Amino acid sequence: MILNGVDFETYLKNYPDENGYFGKYGGSYIDENLFNALVDVAKAYKTICKSAKFINELRRIRKEFQGRPTPVYHCERLSNLLGDVQIYLKREDLNHTGAHKLNHCMGEGLLAKYLGKKKLIAETGAGQHGVALATAAAFFGLECEIHMGEVDVKKQAPNVARMKVLGAKIVVVTEGAKTLKEAVDSAFKAYAEDYENSIYCIGSVLGPHPFPLMVRDFQTIVGEEARSQFKEMTGENPDVVCACVGGGSNSIGMFVPFLNDKGVEIVGVEPLGKGPQKGQHAASIAYGSEGVMHGFNSIMLKDENGEPDEVYSVASGLDYPSVGPEHAFLHDIGRVKYDTISDDEAIEAFFMLSKYEGIIPAVESSHAVAYAMKIAKERKSGSVLVCLSGRGDKDLDFIIEKYGDKYLKD
């Protein structure tokens, strides 16, 4: 399949280019010392990703430790309730630690061992990336330092506790809005001060090259499994594939294996939050423009001075003012459609999936479920395959406190 000059049959060989660009997006906009450190990481990854020893070890870890492959599940009751469109879930909530994040964290941990590093440093919003990286650090015998905004520390207390139990050091970030952007700022600073002994394990397909490449490659297992499993279940490809998009790791992993399938509509679902007003959402592609932050060029939400704007989402893992450069590229060439779901729609989907299928989703994932539900109400037939990127245990206390009166009436 060729679209706007991009041949998706050879897509993975050509994107990103050697400098980390997806078209005009991506790159590495960082100071010289850190730039050279990441050049070494990129070289090491380029070597190790072709190593049979590395590949076989990662496969063993995925099977014996992570519990892969995760299943595809048909939401028959929910589908029948809404209409005739059939909704399916790729169950990343059943991946060890409860989300897709472990897919790249184990790969990054293995790379750190290869490079002789002693510490893993990362940011986290909803806490799933932090838990996954703390798990990887424990598995490989490495130190772990997780930077997390003070707002999210309070909001995601269960995951904070899990990180501590796993042996991670939690750095509580109190600057700015005290959420995900500030956590990334803090983690990058810590890495810049100790890059010789540590490796920065970014939690999404963000940041300077080679992070968007590495995280995408490690996450592509999600879409590879899902594509094969869905065909085995139904004999065909899904009509629509969708996933939530904050930075975009679960979605890019889900989307890439379907890019060359001409008949598959691919949709990234951004958080509309409380509405389209500035500061009330985190829908970067829908309302942003080209800009550089955290070492990469992409589409970002800006304030009056062209700096990253304040953002909001009920989902801690989605409140980031930019999006992975590959998502910006796929949007520009028209292969992936990006749409929005509000807080209210996501919360309704959270309770609907829980009540009718016995699956409590992460609030992040609920955005994608809500989009599938919208399609099911609007269309007369078809199938939607959703990446259920994580489970909702981490969100329960917050959801019950804020929405219990509405949804949990006696």
Side-chain angles (χ1 to χ4, degrees):
M1 175 182 173
I2 299 176
L3 179 65
N4 291 324
V6 177
D7 186 347
F8 287 104
E9 190 168 342
T10 57
Y11 177 80
L12 291 176
K13 292 183 179 180
N14 298 321
Y15 296 94
D17 66 17
E18 61 181 11
N19 295 314
Y21 282 95
F22 302 86
K24 63 181 177 179
Y25 301 112
S28 188
Y29 297 79
I30 50 179
D31 67 62
E32 186 175 353
N33 286 339
L34 204 52
F35 182 89
N36 291 332
L38 292 184
V39 167
D40 291 341
V41 173
K43 287 180 179 178
Y45 176 68
K46 189 175 181 180
T47 299
I48 200 172
C49 74
K50 303 296 183 182
S51 163
K53 183 178 179 181
F54 177 85
I55 293 169
N56 288 331
E57 177 64 7
L58 192 57
R59 285 175 176 168
R60 184 188 70 80
I61 289 169
R62 285 172 171 170
K63 180 181 179 181
E64 297 177 7
F65 184 68
Q66 292 183 231
R68 304 205 68 90
T70 58
V72 165
Y73 170 75
H74 180 203
C75 295
E76 190 171 0
R77 289 192 68 215
L78 184 62
S79 300
N80 292 340
L81 179 73
L82 298 171
D84 294 321
V85 172
Q86 300 304 302
I87 299 173
Y88 294 80
L89 307 177
K90 175 57 173 169
R91 297 286 308 276
E92 287 302 287
D93 59 312
L94 297 179
N95 191 35
H96 180 44
T97 73
H100 69 290
K101 296 292 187 180
L102 196 63
N103 298 328
H104 65 258
C105 286
M106 296 306 291
E108 289 170 330
L110 199 54
L111 178 63
K113 292 289 284 188
Y114 177 83
L115 291 171
K117 304 296 185 181
K118 297 179 174 61
K119 181 194 290 187
L120 306 180
I121 297 176
E123 84 299 328
T124 193
Q128 287 298 143
H129 176 60
V131 170
L133 197 67
T135 300
F139 182 92
F140 291 110
L142 300 168
E143 296 177 49
C144 185
E145 183 176 294
I146 303 296
H147 296 245
M148 192 172 189
E150 186 177 34
V151 169
D152 294 330
V153 168
K154 294 176 181 176
K155 192 174 174 183
Q156 303 291 347
N159 273 345
V160 174
R162 293 169 74 193
M163 285 183 270
K164 290 180 178 179
V165 168
L166 289 162
K169 175 186 176 183
I170 311 298
V171 177
V172 181
V173 181
T174 58
E175 289 79 20
K178 307 174 186 178
T179 56
L180 184 56
K181 175 194 170 294
E182 290 75 23
V184 176
D185 291 338
S186 178
F188 256 118
K189 182 179 179 182
Y191 176 53
E193 293 172 352
D194 191 28
Y195 61 83
E196 291 184 355
N197 297 309
S198 61
I199 186 170
Y200 183 40
C201 301
I202 201 161
S204 194
V205 284
L206 303 168
H209 179 64
F211 293 121
L213 165 66
M214 292 194 306
V215 175
R216 178 198 70 184
D217 288 355
F218 291 135
Q219 287 296 344
T220 300
I221 187 64
V222 177
E224 289 174 348
E225 288 178 2
R227 186 174 182 272
S228 174
Q229 291 165 325
F230 191 89
K231 274 197 169 183
E232 184 178 346
M233 291 174 73
T234 68
E236 58 185 12
N237 281 328
D239 294 299
V240 181
V241 171
C242 70
C244 65
V245 178
S249 57
N250 90 95
S251 44
I252 209 68
M254 187 70 167
F255 295 168
V256 165
F258 289 97
L259 291 177
N260 197 41
D261 293 328
K262 191 173 182 179
V264 178
E265 179 184 352
I266 305 176
V267 184
V269 185
E270 294 192 295
L272 186 60
K274 297 175 183 177
Q277 299 80 17
K278 284 177 69 66
Q280 298 299 303
H281 64 85
S284 304
I285 291 179
Y287 297 99
S289 58
E290 185 178 352
V292 175
M293 66 175 287
H294 291 152
F296 69 104
N297 183 48
S298 187
I299 298 175
M300 62 180 277
L301 296 166
K302 302 175 183 176
D303 63 16
E304 295 76 10
N305 300 313
E307 296 297 317
D309 205 355
E310 289 189 13
V311 293
Y312 160 80
S313 171
V314 69
S316 297
L318 300 182
D319 59 355
Y320 187 73
S322 187
V323 66
E326 190 165 8
H327 282 290
F329 175 68
L330 291 171
H331 167 263
D332 277 12
I333 65 172
R335 180 60 187 100
V336 178
K337 172 186 174 183
Y338 292 83
D339 209 334
T340 60
I341 285 292
S342 69
D343 280 3
D344 289 343
E345 291 171 310
I347 296 304
E348 180 186 16
F350 176 94
F351 283 101
M352 290 283 285
L353 187 63
S354 300
K355 180 178 179 180
Y356 289 99
E357 296 293 346
I359 298 170
I360 301 174
V363 177
E364 290 78 11
S365 314
S366 300
H367 286 71
V369 175
Y371 186 81
M373 289 171 56
K374 182 181 289 189
I375 288 178
K377 294 173 185 176
E378 295 173 351
R379 300 186 186 183
K380 294 182 178 180
S381 63
S383 59
V384 185
L385 177 57
V386 179
C387 182
L388 195 75
S389 55
R391 67 184 183 221
D393 307 44
K394 65 184 179 58
D395 300 307
L396 281 177
D397 290 345
F398 169 76
I399 293 296
I400 291 170
E401 180 181 347
K402 189 166 183 180
Y403 299 98
D405 289 345
K406 179 178 180 180
Y407 287 97
L408 300 177
K409 295 178 181 178
D410 292 334

